[in-house]
Amino acid sequence: MSTEQIIVVGLVLMAGSALQSAVGFGFGLMAIPLMIWAGVPLPMAVTVLAIATVAQMGWSCWQYRVDLAWRPAIPMVVVRLVSLPAGVYLLSLLAEADEGLIRQVVGAMLLGVLALQFGLRVDPRPRVHPGWLVLAGSSSGVLGGLIGMGGPPVILWLMAHDWPARQTRSFLWLTVLAVMPLNLLLLWHHFGQPVVEASVVGLAYTPLVLAGTMAGLWGGDLLSKPRLRAATLALLVVIAVSSIVTPWVL
């Protein structure tokens, strides 16, 4: 990457990790489109995000280790692992497309994810039908492998449960973190040496990611959560629409 790309990607990862820590979502939704805008190929952007996610989620899981729900997480992790290869295969097909088309596809998927996450309201209940776990886990695995945005389907599934907030957040972190080794292995299988290089780049950004995580946790306790979520939604919509429209006008 050029010097400009190195700086931009570092700032994007730091901002995305702060956003994730402050409002509970948004790392991949923000980071992937902006890294593509910076000229980073989609497979490499997904790889850098995966490494950054390992750093952030690992640190967060350690902080919340008392609240980790290991047994309930196992079925979700299994379903995500089974569906992940399909997402990485689709990524290998999309990576051959024109850069403008890739931006538009990622932007359209981002809009779809936002519409589901903010438009679908589910009343929390003690028990949810297992079919919803399969649907959420499989769509999460495919989206995670394809564009690095596997969190929202799991968030929707979690919203249907009347779990405590700390258990909900730690469940999301744990299930995302558990599939990362296979995700990285599949990326390496499909794309080879560039994935190794992108992994090294992602590791180099770990201090920035952790700094963003701590800043987000601190800021999230000070700022109004409803206003912060509204501002986050507005920002992500602007990013998505710009990704779709820009290739047509430039």
Side-chain angles (χ1 to χ4, degrees), residues 139-162:
S139 56
S140 175
V142 172
L143 283 173
L146 175 57
I147 52 174
M149 301 180 188
V154 181
I155 293 174
L156 288 173
W157 183 81
L158 286 169
M159 288 169 57
H161 293 74
D162 57 356

Side-chain angles (χ1 to χ4, degrees), residues 16 32 34 40 45 59 61 73 76 80 94 124 154 164 204 221 240 250:
I32 291 295
L34 292 182
V40 179
W59 187 85
C61 283
M76 179 65 75
R80 291 195 67 186
L94 181 60
V154 181
D221 292 333
L250 294 181

Side-chain angles (χ1 to χ4, degrees), residues 85-175:
V88 178
Y89 173 72
L90 292 174
L91 171 62
S92 69
L93 299 179
L94 181 60
E96 301 296 326
D98 175 75
E99 181 180 342
L101 178 60
I102 292 175
R103 287 187 186 182
Q104 290 178 319
V105 170
V106 171
M109 288 187 174
L110 175 53
L111 274 183
V113 166
L114 292 174
L116 283 175
Q117 185 162 331
F118 286 91
L120 186 62
R121 290 289 180 264
V122 183
D123 294 328
R125 62 202 68 185
R127 182 175 176 81
V128 178
H129 191 279
W132 292 110
L133 183 146
V134 175
L135 178 61
S138 57
S139 56
S140 175
V142 172
L143 283 173
L146 175 57
I147 52 174
M149 301 180 188
V154 181
I155 293 174
L156 288 173
W157 183 81
L158 286 169
M159 288 169 57
H161 293 74
D162 57 356
W163 293 353
R166 291 179 67 91
Q167 182 180 350
T168 297
R169 297 177 73 184
S170 61
F171 182 96
L172 175 64
W173 297 332
L174 179 61
T175 53

